[in-house]
Amino acid sequence: MVAEITAAELRDKIEADEDIVLFDNRNPEDFENWHIDGAINVEYSSSDGELVGDFEAHRNVADAAEEIVTICAVGQASSDFGEWLEADGYESVTSVADGMEGWGAVYDVVPIATRDDDIEILQVQRRAKGCLGYVVGCKRTGEAAVIDGTRHTQEYKKAARDHGFDITAIFETHIHADHLMMGNRQLRDELDVPYYLGSEAESREPAFEYDPVEPNGTVEIGEVTIKAIPTPGHTTGSTSWLVEDEALMTGDTLFVESVGRTELQFEGGDAEEAAGVLYATLQKMMALPDTVKVLPAHFNVTDDGQYVDVTPGLPMTATIGHIRQHNEMLQLDEAAFVEAAFEEIPQKPPNYEEVIMTNEGKRELESDDEAEELELGPNRCAATEDSVVAND
């Protein structure tokens, strides 16, 4: 039986720049939709027990590598292909036991520098999907909040625990369209803590319970004040969370090189009208102090697994002052901004309508497998393909 590694161990091999060749054994369509940067597609049918793809075209690459790693959706076809490789004479072969499903749940926890030593901010990076969530802690009291957490709640609990915090509150910036919010609601129930959204989220008619925070209202996490800043445009009801004067969790409203898209919730003329609302929102955000760090809910990872101007494992952030000067969208007047917002719109996130309905509490998931299926692929919540956050 071929040796196995986890997706997290594959991450470590890639980070260490080990001499590996990675073969992805899924069908070409699934591979094209989403794969790890540098992977080579050689389809293997687990059900038929046969090689489907063209391995001979890549034999020279395999011969030159110190190790061959195989990956598929959940680890079965890749294990079978690994055994095929061993039978063909290759000795150093490993299979990713949890497959691309596991790759979608690989996280990095990165501290964000703060001026106030009593505040700790942890950026929880989901590298395969480009999701960014946060743990905001008060060092004086040991209390912490999770902001825009994903459904892999164990990652946030571990990050908090490893840094000496107890999670006492959960926040969302908005109703997301590209990843499931079910984890935060499960974490709320498990820990019996408040679950905060901006009060204007009522416009989405969410079919779940939450604790509304009025515009400019505040929540205390220990001795750390988190303020609700209404930031509509990307969606109605979007609220950014200002942590003292340290950082602004902007959700999908503001990135560094781009801004949120508006046509995930709206269509036609309504999307253009929302872009005008977003323009006004961004002007208000730019009035914040230059030193406030913008911490979005996403970074850009392409379908073929490339990271756009960022490096997972490093802080992904930039200050208001930097963004004001360097974000090209913010240099435009309103009419030009609205036009630019629709010039090069990326594909919509996979299954976004089902994800939205699920996140609004209006659709029930039948299984964990369905959750995995809904979240396949990277996020696409920015108005342009080059929306990035800077490693700062």
Side-chain angles (χ1 to χ4, degrees), residues 111-112 114 116-122 135-139 163 165 224:
I112 301 296
T114 59
D116 187 335
D117 290 339
D118 291 329
I119 299 174
E120 185 161 11
I121 299 176
L122 305 173
V135 176
V136 178
C138 174
K139 291 183 179 179
H163 288 78
F165 295 115
V224 176

Side-chain angles (χ1 to χ4, degrees), residues 75-96:
Q76 184 60 57
S78 61
S79 179
D80 292 347
F81 179 61
E83 292 181 0
W84 183 93
L85 288 168
E86 289 181 334
D88 197 46
Y90 291 94
E91 296 181 354
S92 184
V93 181
T94 54
S95 170
V96 180

Side-chain angles (χ1 to χ4, degrees), residues 192-214:
D192 191 23
V193 298
Y195 179 60
Y196 296 110
L197 280 80
S199 60
E200 297 184 9
E202 183 181 3
S203 63
R204 303 295 297 274
E205 299 181 347
F208 57 83
E209 294 183 359
Y210 64 96
D211 297 273
V213 182
E214 296 297 324

Side-chain angles (χ1 to χ4, degrees), residues 13-241:
K13 287 179 177 293
I14 294 172
E15 292 290 294
D17 199 24
E18 294 186 15
D19 183 15
I20 66 172
V21 59
L22 177 64
F23 286 109
D24 188 319
N25 304 127
R26 295 174 298 156
N27 66 61
E29 182 180 359
D30 289 345
F31 177 82
E32 287 300 321
N33 285 339
W34 180 49
H35 61 264
I36 298 170
D37 185 27
I40 298 171
N41 186 214
V42 175
E43 184 179 0
Y44 191 91
S45 172
S46 176
S47 58
D48 297 329
E50 65 179 23
L51 179 66
V52 179
D54 183 7
F55 174 72
E56 291 303 321
H58 308 289
R59 185 177 287 276
N60 289 343
V61 177
D63 290 344
E66 291 185 2
E67 180 183 359
I68 298 174
V69 180
T70 63
I71 192 169
C72 63
V74 294
Q76 184 60 57
S78 61
S79 179
D80 292 347
F81 179 61
E83 292 181 0
W84 183 93
L85 288 168
E86 289 181 334
D88 197 46
Y90 291 94
E91 296 181 354
S92 184
V93 181
T94 54
S95 170
V96 180
D98 45 356
M100 290 299 290
E101 182 176 307
W103 184 252
V106 172
Y107 286 78
D108 301 285
V109 178
V110 182
I112 301 296
T114 59
R115 300 186 308 279
D116 187 335
D117 290 339
D118 291 329
I119 299 174
E120 185 161 11
I121 299 176
L122 305 173
Q123 187 175 66
V124 185
Q125 304 173 356
R126 187 180 180 186
R127 64 168 53 205
K129 193 165 177 63
C131 295
L132 297 172
Y134 300 91
V135 176
V136 178
C138 174
K139 291 183 179 179
R140 287 181 178 270
T141 66
E143 298 173 66
V146 170
I147 300 179
D148 280 343
T150 65
R151 64 186 176 86
H152 300 113
T153 59
Q154 71 277 7
E155 301 294 336
Y156 293 86
K157 291 190 290 185
K158 184 177 186 301
R161 183 174 62 251
D162 288 351
H163 288 78
F165 295 115
D166 293 321
I167 297 170
T168 59
I170 297 168
F171 294 76
E172 302 277 14
T173 55
H174 66 294
I175 303 294
H176 294 270
D178 68 318
H179 76 262
L180 295 169
M181 297 162 56
M182 55 190 286
N184 269 350
R185 298 205 280 269
Q186 291 169 350
L187 193 57
R188 169 201 60 191
D189 296 341
E190 175 187 344
L191 301 179
D192 191 23
V193 298
Y195 179 60
Y196 296 110
L197 280 80
S199 60
E200 297 184 9
E202 183 181 3
S203 63
R204 303 295 297 274
E205 299 181 347
F208 57 83
E209 294 183 359
Y210 64 96
D211 297 273
V213 182
E214 296 297 324
N216 300 313
T218 60
V219 177
E220 301 296 323
I221 304 299
E223 298 179 11
V224 176
T225 300
I226 298 181
K227 183 178 181 180
I229 308 293
T231 49
H234 172 62
T235 67
T236 56
S238 285
T239 294
S240 294
W241 300 103

Side-chain angles (χ1 to χ4, degrees), residues 238-308:
S238 285
T239 294
S240 294
W241 300 103
L242 181 63
V243 180
E244 299 287 351
D245 283 327
E246 291 281 354
L248 185 68
M249 279 62 178
T250 57
D252 296 330
T253 295
L254 174 62
F255 304 95
V256 174
E257 300 294 340
S258 188
V259 299
R261 60 197 295 178
T262 60
E263 87 298 345
L264 294 180
Q265 179 184 350
F266 307 100
E267 295 182 359
D270 289 339
E272 292 188 9
E273 182 179 346
V277 173
L278 180 60
Y279 178 83
T281 286
L282 294 169
Q283 303 311 304
K284 293 178 181 178
M285 295 171 85
M286 289 303 101
L288 290 169
D290 284 358
T291 55
V292 172
K293 290 188 174 182
V294 168
L295 296 173
H298 293 110
F299 60 97
N300 191 7
V301 54
T302 64
D303 291 352
D304 56 3
Q306 296 186 43
Y307 302 105
V308 182

